Amino acid sequence: MSRLKRARRIVLLLAVLVVMAVVAVGILAIGVVRQSFPDTSGQLAIEGLTSSVSVHRDAQGVPSIYADNASDLFRAQGFVSAQDRFFEMDLRRHVTAGRLSELVGSAGIDSDKVIRTMGWRRVAEQELPTLAPETRQYLQAYADGVNAYIKKAGSPEKMSLEYTVLARRNPGYRVEPWTPVDSLAWLKAMAWDLRGDYKDELARARLSRTTRSIKQVNLLYPPYPVDRNQPILSPQDWQPASAQTDQAASPAPAALTAMRTSDGGAAVDSALASVEAVPASLGRGDGIGSNSWVVSGARTTTGKPLLANDPHLGLAIPGIWGQVNLQCRTLSAACPFRVSGFTFSGLPGVVIGHNDKVAWGMTNLGPDVTDFYLEQVSGDSYLRDRGSQRLVQRQEVIKVAGGADVPLTVRSTVHGPILSDVVPAIDEAGDRSVVRGAPQTNRYAVSLAWTALTPGTTADAIFALNRATNWSDFRKAAALFSVPSQNLVYADTAGHIGYQAPGKIPVRRSATPGAPPGFWPAPGWDSQWDWKGYVPFDQMPNAFDPAEGFIVTANQAVTASPSPFLTSEWDYGFRAQRIRTLLASTPKVSAATMSQIQGDTRNTYAPGLVERLLAVQVDDFTAQAQRLLRDWDGSQPNDKSRDAASAAYYNAVWKYLLQYTFDELPPDIAPDGGSRWMVVMEQLLKDPKNDWWDDKTTPGVTEGSGEILKRALVEARLDLARELGKVPATWRWGRLHQLDLKHQVMGTDGVPTVIQDLFDRNGIELGGGNSIVDATSWNASQPGYGVTTGPSMRMIVDLGNLDASRWVNSTGQSGHAYDDHYADQVDAWAANETFAWPFSQAAVRDATDEELTLVPPSPSAAP
């Protein structure tokens, strides 16, 4: 054999071996990925079941669960939830227990410190025995189902691919049994992300120490524009029974003076750093909110109510919501559930959805349920009404995967835990930590009072909502909804619609004359600033069958009351008013109309600003882009139209206008571009020489609005020329405005790109934007225009034919990377398309793609 032939054979053999190796690695990788995929057909024996349970999954993998009794129903829900999303559930319980470091290592330490200090899990442990017996039964049944899954899986690697990756950092990790407290603690994370006012309260305190006057600071927090954006309820729908707060005039409190000292300022900064260290479970910022509205049958094509909801939360993969249909085969007092909708992994029942009689939606009410108190601390005591009171202290130990234990001392006052101890702040220069030093006389600290730090009954409320059959039942359920406070909209098959504001809302007096309660941190050493109790439920706003025939909630003010008791800081109502306008202009609304409204991309604030922008004289290069704003109606679509080019330029101008106007604000409280800043800018444009326009980096020159508007137009043109090309007509908003769906652990900085690519789904182009009905929000204070929050799901409930209802999730039902249902709803969601939502047994049967039967273990299988 010639050398050439021998060489060719060797090369061929090596090529074959390489191909075989690649195939072998591929098969191994596929095996590793698929080993955690759930069984979704056939039959499985599940411990604890008393009879068989059927699990029907449709083409999107959404389960419909049928059982003979409530315990089996929720036991099966626990098992199926764990099948789909166990790693997400495990991650959530580590976060809410302040044990994230045990799972992910040192990256979780600061979060664990703050959550341990607040004691989320401790509160959940106190809450469990106070709940209704049936609620505890359902929680335990759900936990039993999760634990049946854990036992059947056997090892973490067979539960989710994430455990295989984390095993390198955290070898020998063992999954703990699930408990009812694990489910309850998640409600604290919900409440934390959806509370109102906390950051602004600390931001105002921080700004009060700068050269800006209180008057200039107050300009950044304008009143709600009731003259242009209507509140949820009109005076004809609801009137407050009495004043719920004491706003008696008083001297300016010593707290404002104390916050301007170096020690008081350091305490405020450290408290702000602590609250920012908590990971956003649902999201944060101005984009956190929702749209929900309900239309009576008199205004619909079906003659029955229609209800729409799309909560605006942080967007990640897997998505926040899971979809489920829970059905008792025979309704009875012992098994009263036929309910379908969206829920959180790890939480039994349905949070938002409908049963066979009523439907409900939620938007964030955003009430002020937190107050920060400046405390005068000396050693182990603090000042209280001219006397001394001992701090309550406890010791905690944080376990860290791959690292040493971290000890933590938690200190509390009568108001709540001290947060200024926990995470060192960075001063405004950003180059050094605040030096605390040894305890000293009258050293300041900041404590947190928060309604969620006392046991509540929200878990009772969820199950009560699930089995409500009429308005009376619905309001009784709402009365149990402690935290987070939500705007609840209602519709029923009998044709009624309604609204109810629930929740524990503190009654307090204002910390400064003329300011709403809770606007500034209060002096903790003076008990007159303590909470005086909670607003009685019968004084909370509500409406039933309003004459207008529809109710719109989109985080705007609930009422036009000049003395707000819920909060003074709503969303400023541009989304809500746009929805109202679209509904009022449509004589008869269909389900398709409701869906079209959910996808509306009109920026109703933009035309007013555009008028000012078009009046600015600019150079020819900038004018090429400026002309895009002529005849633009504010639509921000994701397509190749002129509107999309106009939207790209407008949003770039908006970004630079905010940056140039408020260049003195620290980066962590700089304008995000949401609805509040729209009203702020609208007011400043009426005052072209206001001090906020002046650029302090140009001594000797005092800029006005004209100079800043021109700068924004010029810089936006240059920015988009770099990003999208020099020809403005070719620009597209969707190319700038993209969503990266990141995994909460595997998609974070520091994780190798090859691993991130396994779990993330990036580069999704979207229309919409800030304060738009299609609320794909972005942060103007951050680089780029990427989507930060958005509609986490969309649903439309048809009370005339529940099987005609529609829904879509932001990602998919599964939490397993590369499962068919991991991201199979993303494209439909991005295009504002929805899927069929079968509810009746016949519709579910017709839609069934796979069926799994869960049965009790046979006697012979017992050990």
Side-chain angles (χ1 to χ4, degrees):
M1 183 183 296
S2 69
R3 290 183 178 179
L4 181 58
K5 287 184 178 180
R6 187 180 295 111
R8 285 175 177 172
R9 287 192 175 185
I10 291 173
V11 169
L12 180 61
L13 178 61
L14 288 173
V16 170
L17 290 174
V18 168
V19 170
M20 290 177 64
V22 169
V23 171
V25 169
I27 292 172
L28 179 62
I30 291 171
V32 169
V33 169
R34 293 185 63 86
Q35 68 178 337
S36 62
F37 286 9
D39 294 320
T40 53
S41 60
Q43 181 173 293
L44 290 176
I46 302 299
E47 289 187 6
L49 288 180
T50 62
S51 61
S52 68
V53 176
S54 299
V55 182
H56 300 256
R57 289 182 183 264
D58 65 12
Q60 285 73 50
V62 177
S64 292
I65 303 173
Y66 291 85
D68 290 330
N69 59 73
S71 290
D72 281 354
L73 185 68
F74 292 113
R75 188 173 284 108
Q77 187 188 7
F79 182 84
V80 171
S81 296
Q83 277 189 309
D84 287 341
R85 300 275 191 99
F86 183 75
F87 179 80
E88 181 186 17
M89 294 165 60
D90 199 20
L91 174 65
R92 285 176 173 176
R93 68 168 165 176
H94 276 81
V95 170
T96 57
R99 297 174 57 193
L100 182 60
S101 302
E102 294 179 26
L103 188 63
V104 303
S106 59
I109 291 175
D110 280 353
S111 167
D112 287 347
K113 284 182 176 180
V114 181
I115 291 174
R116 292 279 190 101
T117 296
M118 288 190 282
W120 290 2
R121 186 175 179 88
R122 290 167 61 89
V123 178
E125 290 170 346
Q126 298 165 15
E127 193 168 281
L128 180 62
T130 70
L131 297 173
E134 61 270 22
T135 299
R136 299 198 301 272
Q137 175 192 342
Y138 304 151
L139 287 165
Q140 186 60 59
Y142 184 91
D144 291 344
V146 176
N147 291 328
Y149 167 80
I150 293 171
K151 183 176 180 180
K152 188 170 288 290
S155 67
E157 292 80 9
K158 292 183 179 179
M159 297 179 191
S160 195
L161 179 61
E162 288 91 336
Y163 292 115
T164 301
V165 177
L166 288 172
R168 297 185 61 186
R169 177 189 294 269
N170 193 5
Y173 175 76
R174 292 291 180 264
V175 173
E176 297 176 0
W178 192 266
T179 72
V181 174
D182 293 327
S183 296
L184 290 179
W186 175 243
L187 296 176
K188 305 305 170 187
M190 289 170 54
W192 179 252
D193 281 353
L194 299 178
R195 73 210 178 283
D197 186 57
Y198 87 97
K199 185 175 179 180
D200 287 334
E201 187 174 327
L202 292 176
R204 282 187 289 269
R206 184 174 177 182
L207 290 171
S208 73
R209 308 197 310 269
T210 70
T211 56
R212 295 289 184 183
S213 67
I214 296 297
K215 179 181 178 181
Q216 286 295 98
V217 172
N218 286 341
L219 284 175
L220 304 184
Y221 300 91
Y224 184 85
V226 292
D227 56 331
R228 64 181 295 173
N229 295 336
Q230 185 168 322
I232 296 172
L233 301 181
S234 68
Q236 293 76 30
D237 295 330
W238 184 82
Q239 286 281 357
S242 59
Q244 289 90 354
T245 56
D246 173 12
Q247 296 192 67
S250 62
L256 283 177
T257 302
M259 285 184 294
R260 288 178 169 140
T261 68
S262 61
D263 198 32
V268 169
D269 290 347
S270 294
L272 184 57
S274 293
V275 297
E276 287 294 284
V278 179
S281 301
L282 302 182
R284 61 164 58 107
D286 183 81
I288 298 302
S290 303
N291 302 321
S292 190
W293 67 93
V294 61
V295 184
S296 74
R299 298 183 63 101
T300 68
T301 58
T302 66
K304 291 287 186 177
L306 294 170
L307 184 149
N309 199 183
D310 53 285
H312 308 151
L313 304 171
L315 299 172
I317 193 165
I320 289 167
W321 300 102
Q323 295 159 276
V324 70
N325 184 9
L326 300 171
Q327 303 255 1
C328 294
R329 290 191 178 104
T330 302
L331 287 179
S332 67
C335 197
F337 297 101
R338 278 186 183 162
V339 60
S340 185
F342 294 87
T343 191
F344 298 112
S345 300
L347 188 67
V350 168
V351 176
I352 297 175
H354 71 83
N355 59 32
D356 60 340
K357 299 293 184 184
V358 307
W360 65 96
M362 297 184 188
T363 66
N364 192 23
L365 182 58
D368 186 0
V369 294
T370 59
D371 273 340
F372 291 95
Y373 288 88
L374 201 63
E375 311 278 9
Q376 295 189 47
V377 177
S378 178
D380 293 335
S381 300
Y382 64 101
L383 185 63
R384 180 75 172 157
D385 288 338
R386 299 184 181 181
S388 182
Q389 193 159 328
R390 298 282 293 181
L391 290 165
V392 176
Q393 301 190 53
R394 69 175 189 271
Q395 304 299 317
E396 301 265 358
V397 177
I398 297 171
K399 302 287 185 181
V400 182
D405 293 353
V406 176
L408 175 69
T409 299
V410 177
R411 305 193 301 167
S412 300
T413 72
V414 67
H415 301 113
I418 290 178
L419 291 187
S420 53
D421 283 355
V422 185
V423 178
I426 304 300
D427 72 359
E428 290 187 18
D431 57 6
R432 63 181 176 83
S433 296
V434 173
V435 179
R436 291 194 176 88
Q440 53 187 318
T441 303
N442 289 346
R443 175 178 178 263
Y444 293 111
V446 174
S447 64
L448 169 69
W450 178 32
T451 54
L453 295 184
T454 56
T457 54
T458 300
D460 287 336
I462 291 172
F463 294 111
L465 282 173
N466 287 188
R467 57 180 181 254
T469 61
N470 54 42
W471 174 245
S472 177
D473 289 347
F474 179 79
R475 291 201 70 218
K476 289 175 183 176
L480 299 170
F481 212 107
S482 308
V483 293
S485 295
Q486 299 289 290
N487 294 302
L488 299 178
V489 294
Y490 166 93
D492 63 35
T493 56
H496 302 293
I497 65 172
Y499 166 86
Q500 178 67 58
K504 293 172 65 174
I505 312 298
V507 176
R508 77 268 268 188
R509 69 182 302 175
S510 174
T512 54
F519 200 74
W520 300 91
W525 53 86
D526 188 341
S527 62
Q528 71 170 319
W529 307 111
D530 292 355
W531 290 354
K532 313 301 181 185
Y534 300 100
V535 177
F537 180 74
D538 62 7
Q539 294 183 22
M540 294 291 284
N542 63 87
F544 184 64
D545 285 340
E548 192 171 26
F550 61 83
I551 302 168
V552 175
T553 77
N555 317 113
Q556 79 273 37
V558 175
T559 73
S561 170
S563 301
F565 67 93
L566 297 174
T567 184
S568 61
E569 296 174 50
W570 318 96
D571 177 273
Y572 283 75
F574 296 99
R575 284 182 288 114
Q577 194 62 32
R578 175 62 175 168
I579 295 168
R580 289 185 57 83
T581 298
L582 292 172
L583 290 175
S585 64
T586 308
K588 294 288 184 178
V589 178
S590 66
T593 307
M594 302 281 273
S595 181
Q596 290 165 7
I597 294 174
Q598 285 182 328
D600 184 75
T601 66
R602 182 75 62 85
N603 184 333
T604 58
Y605 170 78
L609 178 57
V610 165
E611 185 178 347
R612 300 296 297 267
L613 295 172
L614 290 174
V616 178
Q617 296 296 314
V618 293
D619 60 80
D620 290 343
F621 184 70
T622 304
Q624 293 173 5
Q626 187 187 37
R627 284 193 289 271
L628 287 172
L629 302 179
R630 294 178 183 171
D631 303 319
W632 176 54
D633 65 2
S635 296
Q636 299 191 181
N638 172 35
D639 56 25
K640 297 181 180 180
S641 66
R642 188 178 188 277
D643 282 344
S646 303
Y649 184 56
Y650 171 82
N651 281 281
V653 173
W654 176 239
K655 179 187 185 78
Y656 286 105
L657 179 60
L658 291 171
Q659 289 183 9
Y660 288 137
T661 305
F662 303 104
D663 55 312
E664 296 166 69
L665 294 181
D668 56 330
I669 56 177
D672 59 14
S675 64
R676 173 163 67 91
W677 295 101
M678 294 175 181
V679 177
V680 169
M681 185 59 67
E682 192 172 62
Q683 298 305 310
L684 285 181
L685 285 168
K686 298 175 182 177
D687 185 5
K689 296 299 181 182
N690 189 282
D691 194 43
W692 280 113
W693 294 113
D694 186 30
D695 182 353
K696 300 301 183 185
T697 65
T698 56
V701 179
T702 301
E703 288 83 3
S705 60
E707 290 88 347
I708 301 303
L709 288 168
K710 184 174 182 177
R711 281 190 196 177
L713 287 161
V714 170
E715 189 57 42
R717 171 62 165 112
L718 294 171
D719 184 17
L720 296 196
R722 291 186 293 264
E723 291 291 323
L724 302 178
K726 293 182 178 180
V727 181
T730 65
W731 295 345
R732 285 196 297 112
W733 175 227
R735 287 180 58 196
L736 289 175
H737 192 54
Q738 296 187 17
L739 169 64
D740 291 338
L741 288 170
K742 297 288 187 181
H743 190 283
Q744 265 193 290
V745 175
M746 300 303 164
T748 56
D749 293 340
V751 176
T753 302
V754 66
I755 298 297
Q756 293 188 39
D757 289 345
L758 289 174
F759 295 93
D760 297 348
R761 301 292 183 270
N762 298 327
I764 302 164
E765 297 186 0
L766 297 174
N770 291 334
S771 294
I772 292 172
V773 179
D774 187 13
T776 54
S777 299
W778 58 282
N779 192 329
S781 70
Q782 300 297 321
Y785 304 85
V787 177
T788 55
T789 60
S792 53
M793 60 81 162
R794 295 186 182 98
M795 75 174 200
I796 298 164
V797 183
D798 184 341
L799 278 300
N801 178 7
L802 292 170
D803 287 332
S805 302
R806 307 285 297 182
W807 62 355
V808 67
N809 209 339
S810 59
T811 55
Q813 182 67 18
S814 176
H816 299 283
Y818 290 98
D819 183 275
D820 289 344
H821 304 303
Y822 184 63
D824 60 330
Q825 298 187 49
V826 171
D827 289 344
W829 170 85
N832 190 37
E833 297 170 354
T834 54
F835 296 101
W837 183 354
F839 179 69
S840 70
Q841 188 168 358
V844 169
R845 174 62 64 184
D846 289 344
T848 296
D849 212 44
E850 295 178 296
E851 183 175 353
L852 174 68
T853 302
L854 306 178
V855 298
S858 63
S860 61

